[in-house]
Amino acid sequence: MSTLDPGSPPTDELPFFVYGTLLPGEPNHDLFLRGRTSGERAAVLPRALLYDGPGYPYAIDGHGRVHGTLLTAAPGVYGELLGLLDHLEEYLGPGHPRNLYERVVREVELPGEGAPGTRAGQGHPGTRAWVYLAAAAVTRSLRTSGSVIAEGRWVTGRPPGGPRTP
């Protein structure tokens, strides 16, 4: 797992991996992403767990897989999009005590891609992306009393801990 200093300006414009209310069809997708992306594709965050939250999910490092979407910012709006997402995710800076999420760089898998870039034993090529993971205090709480979404796929309209709705 690679991480960059999320408080410094990125050296390249990494895509964003989203897994909750920013997914296509979810409420924040149109509010924050409409007109600001040039590409959206299915992706998987390996070595992570997904937890139910109060109307939105949290991902943390773990032994599962989280399904989501890899977003590429449209030309000329990267800085704007980064700022909007940091604000939405209540990310104030690396390790800030009031962070709800931490913005970190992780490698995500792109199912259905060909062999170039495939990591040994993985079967899918990977790409680096910004991911918002639950901040440390939130992660501690989730590990002790949270409800894991076993399949690693956020679905709205599903009560916490309940079965998925079609």
Side-chain angles (χ1 to χ4, degrees):
M1 281 185 254
S2 64
T3 57
L4 296 177
D5 175 9
S8 64
T11 56
D12 53 356
E13 294 186 355
L14 295 175
F16 299 89
F17 175 80
V18 299
Y19 53 85
T21 65
L22 289 163
L23 289 169
E26 294 293 333
N28 285 330
H29 185 273
D30 280 350
L31 288 172
F32 291 89
L33 301 175
R34 179 176 288 181
R36 294 185 179 102
T37 65
S38 63
E40 300 180 5
R41 58 192 301 182
V44 176
L45 177 64
R47 296 174 302 282
L49 294 172
L50 193 63
Y51 280 83
D52 269 316
Y56 47 86
Y58 293 103
I60 68 170
D61 288 325
H63 60 277
R65 297 167 61 79
V66 173
H67 298 268
T69 299
L70 187 68
L71 308 170
T72 303
V77 301
Y78 189 83
E80 174 192 2
L81 184 57
L82 184 64
L84 285 169
L85 296 179
D86 281 354
H87 179 74
L88 174 67
E89 306 295 3
E90 297 182 41
Y91 171 72
L92 303 173
H96 194 286
R98 291 195 334 251
N99 281 350
L100 185 60
Y101 292 88
E102 290 286 340
R103 177 170 36 92
V104 298
V105 175
R106 293 289 187 266
E107 183 134 330
V108 298
E109 297 173 355
L110 303 171
E113 289 293 305
T118 301
R119 289 176 290 145
Q122 292 297 315
H124 298 294
T127 192
R128 293 177 345 137
W130 287 120
V131 179
Y132 291 89
L133 297 180
V138 176
T139 297
R140 284 191 296 275
S141 175
L142 292 169
R143 288 189 188 277
T144 59
S145 61
S147 177
V148 173
I149 300 172
E151 68 279 6
R153 193 179 309 270
W154 173 250
V155 178
T156 54
R158 177 173 51 83
R164 284 178 36 178
T165 56

